[in-house]
Amino acid sequence: MRRRRNFIHSKKMVWVFIMLLFCGFIVMFTTSLIPKYIPAVTDGDHTAQAGGTDGDPAGGQGTGSAGGGTTSQQQEAGFKPSRVQCGVMKLRHGARKPQDDQIPLYCIEGKYHAGDTPMMQPASPLQVKIDTVIPEKILSDLGAFWLSDSSGTWGHLLLAPKHWEVVRADTGANGSVGLELADPQHPDRRAVYLDGGPCQGCNIALIGSYFTALKNWAEEKGFPGKTMKFLHHAYVRNHVVTYVLPPGSTAYKTVGAAFERHEPQDAMFTRYEISVPPEDLDMANVMLDFFARFPSSVAADLSVQPYLGIPSVS
């Protein structure tokens, strides 16, 4: 009788173990399907990046439009970035007889982990000079997206399809910025922008990752970069590279452009990466070309950096 009880008990334990193993498999499988969005600072393995955009929010006023806001505690409880159309951005082309096109301008309400929340909109209307005419088919689908810098006098300006939503818009306590836009109907079609801000360790490691000629320089500085698996990588100027990455968390290859400036006491890094199906590469090229013109945060009065130029990425 005792042997029979032991057998039944052992059999029950085996079934419990099988059920636990099965449930664990389901949890792991389900978790693997959750999109893993790229945070503001992920590249490089140095501890100097610990204070990136995922750092603890500072106390005080949180995110909101001019004249209002929420506390940082409320932000953490359920903050979701959003956008609102705040006018248009004019695109001027032509020298002898300048012509203006215009696209909708969307101001982004983002999360700021330090300092007061700046004005959502730029200080003055945006008018940008471009060298080539954007085809009407692409122009009609485009929008300009503006995220104010925490200083209130600068901002981050990007082009993307106008129907895309803001998934992430974080400015970290160390000044780094992570911005992600995605197609609400196809979330794996997305664009991710990163600005390392004043975080020198972050920027040096990122430069070492994306600018192969500066890999040894980054290591000598004590912030080695990561080895990237580029399908394509090309220097288009001394400070700009274009590249293609294999499919990762999306079904599509990622086309991107990165910008760097490094001085003895100051390193800058920004990048813009776009994952779209092959039929949308023309749109992606327009987005990257514009990023190359404004590769870092720009003054709210649009006294911006000179045009750097970038070739088409195919």
Side-chain angles (χ1 to χ4, degrees):
M1 180 66 70
R2 182 177 298 174
R3 185 177 298 175
R4 179 178 176 83
R5 287 178 181 173
N6 291 339
F7 174 78
I8 295 173
H9 179 72
S10 300
K11 193 173 182 181
K12 287 181 178 179
M13 292 299 294
V14 170
W15 275 108
V16 169
F17 177 77
I18 293 174
M19 290 301 296
L20 288 174
L21 188 64
F22 180 72
C23 292
F25 175 77
I26 291 177
V27 170
M28 286 193 302
F29 178 75
T30 305
T31 304
S32 69
L33 298 181
I34 299 174
K36 296 176 176 60
Y37 296 116
I38 301 174
V41 177
T42 58
D43 301 271
D45 298 321
H46 202 281
T47 54
Q49 298 184 43
T53 53
D54 286 327
D56 292 334
Q61 186 182 14
T63 302
S65 56
T70 58
T71 65
S72 59
Q73 190 174 19
Q74 288 173 322
Q75 288 182 33
E76 292 303 307
F79 176 79
K80 182 179 179 181
S82 61
R83 63 170 204 174
V84 60
Q85 186 168 350
C86 51
V88 298
M89 184 177 76
K90 292 184 178 181
L91 298 169
R92 172 161 290 187
H93 54 85
R96 293 185 178 181
K97 295 182 179 180
Q99 297 182 2
D100 286 339
D101 292 317
Q102 64 182 34
I103 57 177
L105 175 66
Y106 300 102
C107 293
I108 297 171
E109 182 181 27
K111 181 190 294 184
Y112 298 84
H113 288 286
D116 294 333
T117 302
M119 297 274 289
M120 283 179 62
Q121 66 270 25
S124 58
L126 299 183
Q127 180 171 286
V128 180
K129 184 179 179 182
I130 58 177
D131 291 343
T132 58
V133 179
I134 299 175
E136 178 60 32
K137 182 180 179 180
I138 296 177
L139 187 70
S140 62
D141 291 333
L142 270 179
F145 292 79
W146 171 272
L147 176 66
S148 289
D149 186 271
S150 56
S151 68
T153 57
W154 296 76
H156 306 269
L157 182 63
L158 301 168
L159 294 187
K162 62 185 179 183
H163 70 283
W164 282 16
E165 295 180 346
V166 182
V167 175
R168 178 183 175 91
D170 282 357
T171 299
N174 67 353
S176 59
V177 175
L179 175 60
E180 181 176 352
L181 308 168
D183 185 335
Q185 300 299 321
H186 306 278
D188 53 352
R189 301 178 186 181
R190 65 182 191 229
V192 181
Y193 169 80
L194 167 69
D195 186 329
C199 178
Q200 294 303 291
C202 310
N203 290 334
I204 293 171
L206 287 161
I207 291 171
S209 298
Y210 285 82
F211 291 81
T212 54
L214 294 171
K215 180 178 183 294
N216 292 338
W217 169 82
E219 292 176 351
E220 291 171 1
K221 287 290 186 178
F223 299 94
K226 292 178 63 176
T227 300
M228 305 293 294
K229 296 181 180 179
F230 295 114
L231 298 178
H232 165 82
H233 183 275
Y235 280 78
V236 295
R237 291 285 180 95
N238 288 337
H239 301 283
V240 179
V241 294
T242 57
Y243 53 90
V244 180
L245 297 172
S249 57
T250 74
Y252 312 111
K253 295 177 182 177
T254 295
V255 295
F259 164 80
E260 68 82 24
R261 286 276 190 183
H262 65 284
E263 305 294 340
Q265 302 299 325
D266 185 28
M268 297 171 53
F269 178 89
T270 60
R271 72 168 184 227
Y272 194 31
E273 297 183 341
I274 304 161
S275 301
V276 291
E279 60 267 25
D280 291 336
L281 276 178
D282 288 343
M283 170 73 77
N285 283 322
V286 170
M287 294 161 63
L288 290 179
D289 183 77
F290 189 84
F291 167 79
R293 184 182 177 92
F294 307 106
S296 186
S297 56
V298 301
D301 63 359
L302 223 62
S303 56
V304 296
Q305 297 93 336
Y307 180 64
L308 296 174
I310 195 169
S312 175
V313 178
S314 59

mmCIF file of all heavy atoms in Angstrom, residues 260-290:
data_model
loop_
_atom_site.group_PDB
_atom_site.id
_atom_site.type_symbol
_atom_site.label_atom_id
_atom_site.label_comp_id
_atom_site.label_asym_id
_atom_site.label_seq_id
_atom_site.Cartn_x
_atom_site.Cartn_y
_atom_site.Cartn_z
ATOM 1 N N GLU A 260 29.069 62.291 -36.314
ATOM 2 C CA GLU A 260 29.925 62.470 -35.138
ATOM 3 C C GLU A 260 30.799 63.709 -35.300
ATOM 4 O O GLU A 260 31.150 64.115 -36.392
ATOM 5 C CB GLU A 260 30.798 61.239 -34.904
ATOM 6 C CG GLU A 260 31.873 60.976 -35.955
ATOM 7 C CD GLU A 260 33.153 61.787 -35.772
ATOM 8 O OE1 GLU A 260 33.441 62.220 -34.636
ATOM 9 O OE2 GLU A 260 33.864 62.004 -36.770
ATOM 10 N N ARG A 261 31.124 64.286 -34.164
ATOM 11 C CA ARG A 261 32.155 65.323 -34.068
ATOM 12 C C ARG A 261 32.941 65.016 -32.811
ATOM 13 O O ARG A 261 32.348 64.759 -31.757
ATOM 14 C CB ARG A 261 31.542 66.721 -33.947
ATOM 15 C CG ARG A 261 30.948 67.259 -35.233
ATOM 16 C CD ARG A 261 31.997 67.888 -36.106
ATOM 17 N NE ARG A 261 31.386 68.596 -37.225
ATOM 18 C CZ ARG A 261 32.091 69.199 -38.181
ATOM 19 N NH1 ARG A 261 33.404 69.185 -38.133
ATOM 20 N NH2 ARG A 261 31.486 69.813 -39.170
ATOM 21 N N HIS A 262 34.247 64.998 -32.898
ATOM 22 C CA HIS A 262 35.030 64.759 -31.689
ATOM 23 C C HIS A 262 36.183 65.750 -31.601
ATOM 24 O O HIS A 262 36.959 65.903 -32.534
ATOM 25 C CB HIS A 262 35.538 63.316 -31.642
ATOM 26 C CG HIS A 262 36.518 62.964 -32.724
ATOM 27 N ND1 HIS A 262 36.149 62.726 -34.024
ATOM 28 C CD2 HIS A 262 37.877 62.811 -32.687
ATOM 29 C CE1 HIS A 262 37.212 62.441 -34.755
ATOM 30 N NE2 HIS A 262 38.276 62.486 -33.966
ATOM 31 N N GLU A 263 36.214 66.436 -30.501
ATOM 32 C CA GLU A 263 37.279 67.354 -30.154
ATOM 33 C C GLU A 263 37.962 66.783 -28.910
ATOM 34 O O GLU A 263 37.455 65.853 -28.280
ATOM 35 C CB GLU A 263 36.707 68.752 -29.883
ATOM 36 C CG GLU A 263 35.862 69.338 -31.014
ATOM 37 C CD GLU A 263 36.671 69.627 -32.267
ATOM 38 O OE1 GLU A 263 37.917 69.730 -32.147
ATOM 39 O OE2 GLU A 263 36.074 69.723 -33.355
ATOM 40 N N PRO A 264 39.113 67.351 -28.515
ATOM 41 C CA PRO A 264 39.799 66.813 -27.333
ATOM 42 C C PRO A 264 38.924 66.721 -26.095
ATOM 43 O O PRO A 264 39.031 65.775 -25.315
ATOM 44 C CB PRO A 264 40.953 67.809 -27.131
ATOM 45 C CG PRO A 264 41.242 68.318 -28.500
ATOM 46 C CD PRO A 264 39.904 68.392 -29.190
ATOM 47 N N GLN A 265 38.015 67.678 -25.895
ATOM 48 C CA GLN A 265 37.189 67.682 -24.692
ATOM 49 C C GLN A 265 35.698 67.560 -24.977
ATOM 50 O O GLN A 265 34.880 67.768 -24.089
ATOM 51 C CB GLN A 265 37.449 68.971 -23.893
ATOM 52 C CG GLN A 265 38.897 69.192 -23.477
ATOM 53 C CD GLN A 265 39.427 68.082 -22.585
ATOM 54 O OE1 GLN A 265 38.702 67.521 -21.762
ATOM 55 N NE2 GLN A 265 40.705 67.746 -22.755
ATOM 56 N N ASP A 266 35.338 67.243 -26.230
ATOM 57 C CA ASP A 266 33.911 67.215 -26.561
ATOM 58 C C ASP A 266 33.661 66.229 -27.692
ATOM 59 O O ASP A 266 34.288 66.317 -28.749
ATOM 60 C CB ASP A 266 33.444 68.618 -26.963
ATOM 61 C CG ASP A 266 31.940 68.678 -27.190
ATOM 62 O OD1 ASP A 266 31.220 67.880 -26.563
ATOM 63 O OD2 ASP A 266 31.486 69.518 -27.989
ATOM 64 N N ALA A 267 32.757 65.295 -27.464
ATOM 65 C CA ALA A 267 32.372 64.325 -28.493
ATOM 66 C C ALA A 267 30.868 64.387 -28.682
ATOM 67 O O ALA A 267 30.109 64.417 -27.720
ATOM 68 C CB ALA A 267 32.810 62.914 -28.094
ATOM 69 N N MET A 268 30.420 64.411 -29.941
ATOM 70 C CA MET A 268 29.001 64.431 -30.283
ATOM 71 C C MET A 268 28.678 63.207 -31.124
ATOM 72 O O MET A 268 29.480 62.769 -31.946
ATOM 73 C CB MET A 268 28.644 65.687 -31.090
ATOM 74 C CG MET A 268 28.833 67.008 -30.371
ATOM 75 S SD MET A 268 28.615 68.391 -31.522
ATOM 76 C CE MET A 268 27.005 68.021 -32.228
ATOM 77 N N PHE A 269 27.466 62.664 -30.929
ATOM 78 C CA PHE A 269 27.019 61.541 -31.758
ATOM 79 C C PHE A 269 25.509 61.586 -31.893
ATOM 80 O O PHE A 269 24.787 61.783 -30.911
ATOM 81 C CB PHE A 269 27.413 60.199 -31.141
ATOM 82 C CG PHE A 269 26.928 59.013 -31.939
ATOM 83 C CD1 PHE A 269 27.703 58.478 -32.954
ATOM 84 C CD2 PHE A 269 25.680 58.453 -31.692
ATOM 85 C CE1 PHE A 269 27.241 57.391 -33.704
ATOM 86 C CE2 PHE A 269 25.218 57.374 -32.435
ATOM 87 C CZ PHE A 269 26.001 56.842 -33.449
ATOM 88 N N THR A 270 25.019 61.409 -33.120
ATOM 89 C CA THR A 270 23.594 61.211 -33.372
ATOM 90 C C THR A 270 23.440 60.153 -34.460
ATOM 91 O O THR A 270 24.346 59.934 -35.272
ATOM 92 C CB THR A 270 22.878 62.501 -33.838
ATOM 93 O OG1 THR A 270 23.493 62.959 -35.054
ATOM 94 C CG2 THR A 270 22.966 63.593 -32.794
ATOM 95 N N ARG A 271 22.284 59.517 -34.483
ATOM 96 C CA ARG A 271 22.004 58.566 -35.559
ATOM 97 C C ARG A 271 20.496 58.533 -35.794
ATOM 98 O O ARG A 271 19.696 58.867 -34.916
ATOM 99 C CB ARG A 271 22.515 57.163 -35.222
ATOM 100 C CG ARG A 271 21.705 56.460 -34.157
ATOM 101 C CD ARG A 271 22.026 54.984 -34.025
ATOM 102 N NE ARG A 271 21.127 54.396 -33.033
ATOM 103 C CZ ARG A 271 21.501 53.605 -32.054
ATOM 104 N NH1 ARG A 271 22.776 53.301 -31.890
ATOM 105 N NH2 ARG A 271 20.615 53.113 -31.200
ATOM 106 N N TYR A 272 20.127 58.092 -37.009
ATOM 107 C CA TYR A 272 18.723 57.941 -37.373
ATOM 108 C C TYR A 272 18.622 56.637 -38.143
ATOM 109 O O TYR A 272 19.264 56.472 -39.186
ATOM 110 C CB TYR A 272 18.259 59.127 -38.220
ATOM 111 C CG TYR A 272 16.756 59.258 -38.377
ATOM 112 C CD1 TYR A 272 15.878 58.841 -37.386
ATOM 113 C CD2 TYR A 272 16.212 59.847 -39.521
ATOM 114 C CE1 TYR A 272 14.505 58.998 -37.525
ATOM 115 C CE2 TYR A 272 14.835 60.011 -39.665
ATOM 116 C CZ TYR A 272 13.993 59.581 -38.663
ATOM 117 O OH TYR A 272 12.620 59.734 -38.794
ATOM 118 N N GLU A 273 17.825 55.687 -37.646
ATOM 119 C CA GLU A 273 17.691 54.373 -38.258
ATOM 120 C C GLU A 273 16.243 54.114 -38.637
ATOM 121 O O GLU A 273 15.334 54.388 -37.846
ATOM 122 C CB GLU A 273 18.192 53.291 -37.298
ATOM 123 C CG GLU A 273 19.678 53.429 -36.987
ATOM 124 C CD GLU A 273 20.206 52.318 -36.098
ATOM 125 O OE1 GLU A 273 19.374 51.655 -35.433
ATOM 126 O OE2 GLU A 273 21.431 52.123 -36.052
ATOM 127 N N ILE A 274 16.045 53.558 -39.823
ATOM 128 C CA ILE A 274 14.706 53.389 -40.378
ATOM 129 C C ILE A 274 14.538 51.955 -40.861
ATOM 130 O O ILE A 274 15.358 51.444 -41.630
ATOM 131 C CB ILE A 274 14.481 54.369 -41.553
ATOM 132 C CG1 ILE A 274 14.727 55.817 -41.099
ATOM 133 C CG2 ILE A 274 13.077 54.221 -42.112
ATOM 134 C CD1 ILE A 274 14.979 56.779 -42.223
ATOM 135 N N SER A 275 13.475 51.294 -40.401
ATOM 136 C CA SER A 275 13.166 49.928 -40.812
ATOM 137 C C SER A 275 11.845 49.934 -41.562
ATOM 138 O O SER A 275 10.786 50.168 -40.969
ATOM 139 C CB SER A 275 13.071 49.010 -39.577
ATOM 140 O OG SER A 275 14.282 49.018 -38.855
ATOM 141 N N VAL A 276 11.909 49.689 -42.863
ATOM 142 C CA VAL A 276 10.721 49.703 -43.719
ATOM 143 C C VAL A 276 10.881 48.636 -44.795
ATOM 144 O O VAL A 276 12.000 48.194 -45.083
ATOM 145 C CB VAL A 276 10.501 51.081 -44.389
ATOM 146 C CG1 VAL A 276 10.093 52.128 -43.368
ATOM 147 C CG2 VAL A 276 11.749 51.518 -45.145
ATOM 148 N N PRO A 277 9.775 48.208 -45.426
ATOM 149 C CA PRO A 277 9.882 47.253 -46.532
ATOM 150 C C PRO A 277 10.559 47.902 -47.735
ATOM 151 O O PRO A 277 10.637 49.136 -47.832
ATOM 152 C CB PRO A 277 8.417 46.894 -46.825
ATOM 153 C CG PRO A 277 7.619 48.023 -46.281
ATOM 154 C CD PRO A 277 8.376 48.542 -45.113
ATOM 155 N N PRO A 278 11.059 47.092 -48.663
ATOM 156 C CA PRO A 278 11.799 47.631 -49.815
ATOM 157 C C PRO A 278 11.041 48.688 -50.600
ATOM 158 O O PRO A 278 11.649 49.630 -51.125
ATOM 159 C CB PRO A 278 12.071 46.384 -50.670
ATOM 160 C CG PRO A 278 12.067 45.249 -49.696
ATOM 161 C CD PRO A 278 11.046 45.610 -48.661
ATOM 162 N N GLU A 279 9.719 48.546 -50.696
ATOM 163 C CA GLU A 279 8.959 49.522 -51.504
ATOM 164 C C GLU A 279 8.926 50.906 -50.879
ATOM 165 O O GLU A 279 8.520 51.876 -51.543
ATOM 166 C CB GLU A 279 7.529 49.020 -51.737
ATOM 167 C CG GLU A 279 6.710 48.797 -50.478
ATOM 168 C CD GLU A 279 6.777 47.371 -49.972
ATOM 169 O OE1 GLU A 279 7.778 46.670 -50.279
ATOM 170 O OE2 GLU A 279 5.840 46.952 -49.273
ATOM 171 N N ASP A 280 9.343 51.040 -49.619
ATOM 172 C CA ASP A 280 9.349 52.347 -48.955
ATOM 173 C C ASP A 280 10.743 52.938 -48.817
ATOM 174 O O ASP A 280 10.945 53.920 -48.086
ATOM 175 C CB ASP A 280 8.713 52.227 -47.558
ATOM 176 C CG ASP A 280 7.221 51.959 -47.616
ATOM 177 O OD1 ASP A 280 6.604 52.308 -48.646
ATOM 178 O OD2 ASP A 280 6.668 51.392 -46.659
ATOM 179 N N LEU A 281 11.728 52.382 -49.536
ATOM 180 C CA LEU A 281 13.096 52.875 -49.400
ATOM 181 C C LEU A 281 13.263 54.297 -49.939
ATOM 182 O O LEU A 281 14.107 55.046 -49.454
ATOM 183 C CB LEU A 281 14.076 51.936 -50.107
ATOM 184 C CG LEU A 281 14.526 50.716 -49.294
ATOM 185 C CD1 LEU A 281 15.464 49.843 -50.120
ATOM 186 C CD2 LEU A 281 15.204 51.150 -48.002
ATOM 187 N N ASP A 282 12.471 54.677 -50.939
ATOM 188 C CA ASP A 282 12.555 56.056 -51.433
ATOM 189 C C ASP A 282 12.194 57.040 -50.329
ATOM 190 O O ASP A 282 12.843 58.088 -50.173
ATOM 191 C CB ASP A 282 11.643 56.251 -52.644
ATOM 192 C CG ASP A 282 12.172 55.570 -53.891
ATOM 193 O OD1 ASP A 282 13.372 55.229 -53.916
ATOM 194 O OD2 ASP A 282 11.392 55.364 -54.845
ATOM 195 N N MET A 283 11.158 56.719 -49.575
ATOM 196 C CA MET A 283 10.785 57.554 -48.436
ATOM 197 C C MET A 283 11.910 57.581 -47.404
ATOM 198 O O MET A 283 12.267 58.634 -46.872
ATOM 199 C CB MET A 283 9.507 57.018 -47.798
ATOM 200 C CG MET A 283 9.137 57.643 -46.467
ATOM 201 S SD MET A 283 8.513 59.332 -46.587
ATOM 202 C CE MET A 283 6.833 59.006 -47.165
ATOM 203 N N ALA A 284 12.505 56.425 -47.133
ATOM 204 C CA ALA A 284 13.587 56.349 -46.152
ATOM 205 C C ALA A 284 14.781 57.194 -46.575
ATOM 206 O O ALA A 284 15.418 57.859 -45.746
ATOM 207 C CB ALA A 284 14.011 54.896 -45.950
ATOM 208 N N ASN A 285 15.077 57.201 -47.877
ATOM 209 C CA ASN A 285 16.201 58.000 -48.359
ATOM 210 C C ASN A 285 15.963 59.487 -48.165
ATOM 211 O O ASN A 285 16.884 60.241 -47.832
ATOM 212 C CB ASN A 285 16.464 57.688 -49.835
ATOM 213 C CG ASN A 285 17.179 56.368 -50.014
ATOM 214 O OD1 ASN A 285 18.048 56.015 -49.236
ATOM 215 N ND2 ASN A 285 16.794 55.624 -51.041
ATOM 216 N N VAL A 286 14.738 59.945 -48.366
ATOM 217 C CA VAL A 286 14.411 61.350 -48.131
ATOM 218 C C VAL A 286 14.580 61.680 -46.650
ATOM 219 O O VAL A 286 15.111 62.733 -46.278
ATOM 220 C CB VAL A 286 12.972 61.655 -48.607
ATOM 221 C CG1 VAL A 286 12.533 63.046 -48.153
ATOM 222 C CG2 VAL A 286 12.886 61.559 -50.127
ATOM 223 N N MET A 287 14.145 60.781 -45.784
ATOM 224 C CA MET A 287 14.268 60.983 -44.344
ATOM 225 C C MET A 287 15.735 61.065 -43.926
ATOM 226 O O MET A 287 16.122 61.918 -43.114
ATOM 227 C CB MET A 287 13.557 59.860 -43.594
ATOM 228 C CG MET A 287 12.040 59.852 -43.797
ATOM 229 S SD MET A 287 11.244 58.258 -43.384
ATOM 230 C CE MET A 287 11.589 58.127 -41.625
ATOM 231 N N LEU A 288 16.572 60.179 -44.481
ATOM 232 C CA LEU A 288 17.990 60.182 -44.133
ATOM 233 C C LEU A 288 18.707 61.397 -44.690
ATOM 234 O O LEU A 288 19.605 61.957 -44.054
ATOM 235 C CB LEU A 288 18.661 58.902 -44.646
ATOM 236 C CG LEU A 288 18.285 57.606 -43.938
ATOM 237 C CD1 LEU A 288 19.019 56.431 -44.573
ATOM 238 C CD2 LEU A 288 18.583 57.680 -42.453
ATOM 239 N N ASP A 289 18.327 61.813 -45.891
ATOM 240 C CA ASP A 289 18.937 62.999 -46.487
ATOM 241 C C ASP A 289 18.663 64.233 -45.620
ATOM 242 O O ASP A 289 19.548 65.069 -45.401
ATOM 243 C CB ASP A 289 18.392 63.209 -47.895
ATOM 244 C CG ASP A 289 19.043 64.399 -48.584
ATOM 245 O OD1 ASP A 289 20.199 64.256 -49.033
ATOM 246 O OD2 ASP A 289 18.417 65.466 -48.658
ATOM 247 N N PHE A 290 17.450 64.331 -45.113
ATOM 248 C CA PHE A 290 17.108 65.466 -44.246
ATOM 249 C C PHE A 290 17.869 65.374 -42.926
ATOM 250 O O PHE A 290 18.341 66.389 -42.397
ATOM 251 C CB PHE A 290 15.602 65.483 -43.983
ATOM 252 C CG PHE A 290 15.132 66.725 -43.284
ATOM 253 C CD1 PHE A 290 14.850 67.880 -43.993
ATOM 254 C CD2 PHE A 290 14.970 66.739 -41.905
ATOM 255 C CE1 PHE A 290 14.429 69.032 -43.348
ATOM 256 C CE2 PHE A 290 14.542 67.881 -41.248
ATOM 257 C CZ PHE A 290 14.270 69.037 -41.976
#
